[in-house]
Amino acid sequence: MSATPAFDVTAARAAFPALSGSYIYADNAGGSQCLGSVATRLTDYLLKSNVQLGADYSVSVTSTKRVDEGLEAARQMLNAKSVNEVAFGYSSSLAAENLARALEADVLPGEEIIVTGEHEANSTPWKRLAERKSLTIKLWHATTSPDTPNNPYSVGLRIADLLPLITAKTRLVAFTACSNLLGSVVPVKDVIRAIKAKANEVGARKIETSVDCVAYAPHRRIDVQDWDVDYCFFSVYKVYGAHVSILYTRAENVKASLTRLTHHFLSYDATSLKLMPGGPGYELVYSTTAVPEYLQSLTPAGTLEASYGAIARYEQTLIQPLLTYLKSKEGRGVRIVGDESAGISRVPTISFVVVGPARVSSRDVVKIFDQAGNIGIRYGHFYAWTLIESLEPKIDLADSIVRISLVHYNTAQEVERIIELLEHALA
C-alpha cells in the first residue's frame, strides 16, 4: 500500500489547536482531540445565543435554528432518513441506558438478549433490563482465528458463533461495529442480515439490533439505512467534537417499540426526542455542526463517503509498521490482542500484552512512555472487562493490556517514535 497520504495530513492537523505542539496523542480511542471550529461554535453559542428554545423573540429563534442544525449534522453523520430519528445525550453509556429503559415495556419475561464482551456501554444496560424483566442474557464470545494458532489472544467476533445463539425467544442482539480493544471492524450489514434470516427461520416474535459505533465512527462511515439497523450510538468526543453522544432510533421502532422518557405532556411519540429527558446542553448540539463540515473538507469530493475512504487508506499506513514491529517481537513474548494483520478489517487501535518467562507488565510498558514524556498511551481494560476476562490464558485485569490508538491526524513520524519507545520498553 502506498505511503502517500490520501489527504493533506498537515492541513488536517492544523484544524486541531492541541496538535500545534509536539505532544503525541496516541490514546485517541479514549477521546480524540477537539476541532478548533467545534470550540469556536460552542463558545459562540454560549456568548451569543444562550437562551431557551422555542420562543418568538429573535435570539431564541437563532438558538432554536442552531440546535436544529446540530440535529441535521447528526443525521448526516448517521445517514439517517430524518432528524426525527436522532437524539443527543451526555454519553454513549447514558444513550444506551435510556434506550434500554424505553424498550422495557416491549419485552416479555423469558425472552433473550444477546450481548458481546466489548465495551460495557452496549452490555450493562441490557443486563440490567434482563434483571428487571426476567430475561436471559447470552454472550456472543470473541473466538480465536484459525490463521493465528500461536496466539490465543488473536480473537474476534464471528457470525458463525452468533447464529446458534438465536432462538424464537431472542428479542435483541447488541453488538459493536468496531472493538475499542481489538481494533477489528465488524461487518455490521452482514451480521444484521444474518440475524434477521435466522430469526425468521426460528420464528422469533420480534428481534431488533443495537450497535455500538463509538470505536467505529472516527474511522469508518456509519450508514444506518444501508445497515438496516434498529438502534445505534456513538460519542462525538471520540470523533473530534465535544463531550456529547448521538443516538439513532429507526422511525418505525420509535413508534412501535419505545416508551417515552420525557414529560407526559410533550408530544414526542414520533421522534427520537422521546428518549431525551431534559436533553443535553444546546451548545454541545450546535458545536457538532463543525464535525461533518471538517470531515467533508478532507477530500475534493466533499462527501463523508470520500473522506472516510481516504481516512481508512491513510490509517493503514499507520497500522502496518506498528503491527509488523509487534509481530517481530513474538519471541520476546509480545502477543497482539485482536487481529494481527493490517487491512480494511481493522482500525489503528492496537492492543498487546507481554507474556512468558520474561513478562513485562502492561503498567511498566506504559511507564516507559510516561517517563519519556510528550506522549500519551495507556494500559487497562478500557471497559471491555468481559472480553478480557474471557481470554485464555487469563490476563490480570488489574494490569490488563497496553493499547495504542491512532487516528488520521497521527503521522508516520509519530509511529516511529512509538516504536522507538516500545523497543526500549521491551529490551
Side-chain angles (χ1 to χ4, degrees), residues 20 23 58 103 114 138 175 183 187 227 244 254 277 288 290 303 327 343 363 369 379 399 404 416:
S20 61
Y23 199 92
S58 60
L103 194 66
I114 300 171
K138 293 182 175 179
F175 64 100
W227 290 353
V244 67
V254 171
T288 303
T303 65
K327 281 283 289 178
R363 182 193 303 268
F369 284 74
Y379 75 95
D399 187 55
I404 298 166
E416 290 173 2

Side-chain angles (χ1 to χ4, degrees), residues 342-361:
I344 206 67
S345 63
R346 73 133 49 240
V347 303
T349 298
I350 298 172
S351 303
F352 69 92
V353 291
V354 185
V355 300
R359 177 183 181 272
V360 180
S361 72

Side-chain angles (χ1 to χ4, degrees), residues 153 353-355 359 361-363 379-381 385 388-389 391-402:
Y153 302 130
V353 291
V354 185
V355 300
R359 177 183 181 272
S361 72
S362 297
R363 182 193 303 268
Y379 75 95
H381 56 73
W385 181 280
I388 294 181
E389 194 175 43
L391 295 175
E392 294 287 350
K394 292 296 184 184
I395 291 177
D396 179 5
L397 278 158
D399 187 55
S400 211
I401 58 103
V402 179

Side-chain angles (χ1 to χ4, degrees), residues 12 18 26 37 61 83 89 98-99 120 142 228-229 245 274 338 397 415-416:
S37 54
V61 171
V83 294
N98 284 346
L99 177 60
E120 284 293 322
D228 197 22
V229 67
S245 67
K274 69 195 292 183
L397 278 158
V415 173
E416 290 173 2

Side-chain angles (χ1 to χ4, degrees), residues 180-360:
N180 77 318
L181 190 85
L182 308 176
S184 51
V185 176
V186 175
V188 175
K189 183 177 181 178
D190 293 342
V191 172
I192 292 175
R193 184 188 297 118
I195 289 170
K196 292 189 174 183
K198 183 61 182 287
N200 184 62
E201 177 187 323
V202 299
R205 176 184 74 88
K206 184 177 186 179
I207 192 165
E208 294 175 325
T209 51
S210 170
V211 179
D212 176 352
C213 295
V214 175
Y216 183 95
H219 309 284
R220 300 288 189 275
R221 173 75 162 116
I222 298 172
D223 192 336
V224 296
Q225 294 188 64
D226 184 56
W227 290 353
D228 197 22
V229 67
D230 296 296
Y231 314 109
C232 74
F233 54 85
F234 69 94
S235 298
V236 182
Y237 76 96
K238 306 289 181 80
V239 196
Y240 324 116
H243 204 297
V244 67
S245 67
I246 293 173
L247 170 66
Y248 165 79
T249 55
R250 190 206 301 263
E252 295 86 344
N253 302 70
V254 171
K255 299 174 184 176
S257 300
L258 305 177
T259 302
R260 73 168 73 186
L261 303 180
T262 52
H263 302 306
H264 67 90
F265 52 84
L266 294 175
S267 56
Y268 288 156
D269 278 349
T271 80
S272 292
L273 296 181
K274 69 195 292 183
L275 273 71
M276 283 176 51
Y282 302 143
E283 70 279 6
L284 299 174
V285 175
Y286 175 59
S287 74
T288 303
T289 60
V291 177
E293 284 184 12
Y294 163 75
L295 291 168
Q296 290 163 343
S297 75
L298 291 176
T299 58
T303 65
L304 289 174
E305 289 78 8
S307 293
Y308 272 107
I311 285 171
R313 291 191 297 275
Y314 172 66
E315 288 181 344
Q316 292 304 308
T317 69
L318 304 177
I319 295 170
Q320 187 66 67
L322 192 49
L323 285 179
T324 298
Y325 171 79
L326 291 171
K327 281 283 289 178
S328 75
K329 293 297 180 180
E330 281 186 345
R332 175 65 181 81
V334 173
R335 297 292 182 271
I336 295 168
V337 181
D339 193 346
E340 294 186 341
S341 60
I344 206 67
S345 63
R346 73 133 49 240
V347 303
T349 298
I350 298 172
S351 303
F352 69 92
V353 291
V354 185
V355 300
R359 177 183 181 272
V360 180

Side-chain angles (χ1 to χ4, degrees), residues 123-180:
S123 294
T124 297
W126 306 115
K127 293 172 185 176
R128 291 188 184 127
L129 175 59
E131 292 174 356
R132 296 193 299 270
K133 295 285 288 190
S134 299
L135 311 178
T136 297
I137 290 288
K138 293 182 175 179
L139 184 62
W140 177 12
H141 285 281
T143 54
T144 55
S145 168
D147 299 327
T148 54
N150 297 324
N151 183 3
Y153 302 130
S154 183
V155 301
L157 294 173
R158 311 185 198 288
I159 297 177
D161 298 322
L162 167 63
L163 295 182
L165 302 177
I166 298 173
T167 73
K169 294 183 178 181
T170 304
R171 177 63 179 84
L172 181 89
V173 181
F175 64 100
T176 181
C178 179
S179 173
N180 77 318

